Amino acid sequence: YNNAMTQTDPKAKAAALEQYLTQFPQSAVKATVLETAMVLDYSVSDFTKALDAADRLLQVNPSSIKGLYVEAQVRNTQAAALTEAAAKQAALDAAAGYAQKGLAATKPACMSDADFNTQKTTFYPTFYSAIGNAASNKKDSATAIDAFKKELTSVPEAQTHVVPVLPDIYQLALAYLQSTPRDYLDCAFYGARFTVFAPEPFKSQVAT
């Protein structure tokens, strides 16, 4: 364990932690080790390993907000690359399911209020985004609008002008356009807001 925790290379450290768990599968620090390995794999964009670690972490600690964040973020990202409609919606719904659990996660007894609030500030925008994307893809405008609006209010205003929040402003505009009855005023407002801050070629495409 000490050998693993003192590794400086993220990939080597994650591999050493996995080796530790192989030798000591019922370790008292299993959740901590899995969370650390998951974060390391995520940091080097090894999302397959990060997702596997998150799956195992949630088996040990179903309310791990970090585990739920990785599940929601990675599955939401993977869904964007899918082209088959049913598979895409299933992936988005899975991401949204983890996001809902993340929003419902309570503060661990050993964590300070300040640290938990920091985690909420970091993770909640992604949770709301995953819920909004799943709803938007199946034309559930009311749920999409609610989720995207909560995403916007969960971050400082400056962060709404950049990725990853900025594309969801466009999705919010579309959700207003698809609502019943159609809300042209809010659609125009958020569509214009996206157009102002979007980089090319998206700016010109959406402006048209």
Side-chain angles (χ1 to χ4, degrees):
Y1 177 81
N2 289 333
N3 173 66
M5 295 301 288
T6 54
Q7 296 287 331
T8 55
D9 178 75
K11 290 185 177 180
K13 186 172 183 177
L17 288 169
E18 291 288 0
Q19 184 181 15
Y20 168 79
L21 287 177
T22 299
Q23 293 181 265
F24 304 98
Q26 301 305 320
S27 168
V29 292
K30 184 175 183 177
T32 300
V33 172
L34 283 169
E35 182 179 289
T36 304
M38 175 190 72
V39 171
L40 289 166
D41 289 328
Y42 186 84
S43 71
V44 296
S45 300
D46 192 337
F47 299 130
T48 299
K49 287 184 178 179
L51 204 59
D52 176 64
D55 288 341
R56 288 178 289 145
L57 171 60
L58 292 175
Q59 290 176 2
V60 179
N61 178 15
S63 61
S64 167
I65 195 170
K66 286 186 179 180
L68 293 165
Y69 166 79
V70 169
E71 294 277 7
Q73 173 70 7
V74 173
R75 292 178 186 279
N76 191 48
T77 301
Q78 290 176 338
L82 298 176
T83 55
E84 200 278 317
K88 186 182 188 72
Q89 189 61 59
L92 288 169
D93 286 340
Y98 285 108
Q100 293 282 11
K101 292 178 181 177
L103 293 172
T106 56
K107 182 180 76 68
C110 59
M111 183 179 291
S112 69
D113 289 340
D115 286 344
F116 188 62
N117 286 333
T118 297
Q119 288 194 346
K120 288 167 63 176
T121 300
T122 302
F123 301 144
Y124 273 29
T126 293
F127 292 151
Y128 289 128
S129 178
I131 295 168
N133 284 328
S136 180
N137 194 64
K138 56 189 173 187
K139 305 298 188 292
D140 180 357
S141 300
T143 300
I145 290 168
D146 179 69
F148 289 137
K149 289 290 290 293
K150 287 178 178 176
E151 178 187 1
L152 292 180
T153 58
S154 69
V155 298
E157 185 178 356
Q159 290 183 27
T160 68
H161 304 163
V162 296
V163 175
V165 181
L166 182 60
D168 287 343
I169 293 181
Y170 176 62
Q171 294 301 322
L172 178 57
L174 292 182
Y176 277 117
L177 185 62
Q178 295 165 352
S179 62
T180 304
R182 294 188 178 189
D183 186 339
Y184 293 111
L185 183 61
D186 281 315
C187 172
F189 175 80
Y190 288 105
R193 182 167 181 163
F194 174 84
T195 305
V196 167
F197 294 108
E200 293 293 359
F202 309 107
K203 180 187 293 290
S204 297
Q205 291 171 354
V206 174
T208 302

